[in-house]
Amino acid sequence: MADDIFDSEGSELYLSLDGSTVLAFDCPTGMSGFGFSAGERDSSCLNETVGKSKPGKRKLNNPTIQFRVTKGSEAHQFLLALSEEGEPNPEILYAVGWSDGTADPTISGGAFVAPGTGPSWTRTCTVGSCYVSAVSFDFAEGQDVMGSFTFMPQSQQTIWKP
């Protein structure tokens, strides 16, 4: 990795299904959609012929995680159980450890915390809580079983390594 560029390799996803245990997510192959979108508010007046708008409230995007399904993975089994009728959809904690470090995030006060001690964090981490909104598994001849899930963040913060 060049000193000034983040590399995808080395990035990791962590979940906490119970709010206290850190679980490294098995075999993610892609993570996309982190960030936010700004809504749009109409600010036009009736006597204007060209519409105007202003930025509205920000809304967190719904990230999607792609992964290879692995036998015995607690996180993959959790996602599969969400698709079963009658199962509750609990709010869970998530963290993405960026490639600028290797230490795992921890949980403190019911939330993920980047490794190290602020402001001298040892790894950049995006942390928050979410609800899983969609889960799918894909089967194709001669291929590994692939999965993906999308979640609705309830909170999100990126803690930057200096």
Side-chain angles (χ1 to χ4, degrees):
M1 171 174 87
D3 288 342
D4 58 348
I5 297 188
F6 286 98
D7 195 351
S8 292
E9 286 81 17
S11 300
E12 298 177 272
L13 174 65
Y14 302 89
L15 300 178
S16 179
L17 309 179
D18 62 6
S20 62
T21 306
V22 176
L23 178 65
F25 192 84
D26 297 305
C27 204
T29 59
M31 297 185 273
S32 60
F34 289 89
F36 73 91
S37 302
E40 186 176 353
R41 294 183 336 174
D42 186 0
S43 63
S44 302
C45 296
L46 289 176
N47 62 343
E48 297 174 321
T49 57
V50 177
K52 294 190 253 177
S53 62
K54 294 181 180 179
K57 291 183 180 179
R58 290 182 179 188
K59 178 183 181 296
L60 292 171
N61 293 339
N62 296 338
T64 298
I65 311 299
Q66 302 86 29
F67 59 96
R68 290 188 196 292
V69 179
T70 58
K71 295 177 185 176
S73 169
E74 184 179 348
H76 298 178
Q77 290 173 1
F78 169 80
L79 292 171
L80 185 57
L82 286 177
S83 67
E84 296 173 5
E85 190 173 332
E87 287 295 317
N89 190 358
E91 187 171 358
I92 60 174
L93 303 176
Y94 68 91
V96 175
W98 292 39
S99 63
D100 61 352
T102 58
D104 296 345
T106 57
I107 296 177
S108 177
F112 270 110
V113 178
T117 305
S120 299
W121 306 108
T122 60
R123 185 178 195 182
T124 299
C125 286
T126 299
V127 300
S129 64
C130 68
Y131 290 99
V132 175
S133 62
V135 178
S136 66
F137 294 94
D138 301 314
F139 302 82
E141 185 177 343
Q143 301 293 317
D144 296 334
V145 175
M146 300 298 290
S148 66
F149 74 97
T150 302
F151 61 85
M152 300 179 305
Q154 302 302 296
S155 65
Q156 184 169 287
Q157 174 187 15
T158 299
I159 303 163
W160 296 97
K161 174 182 173 180

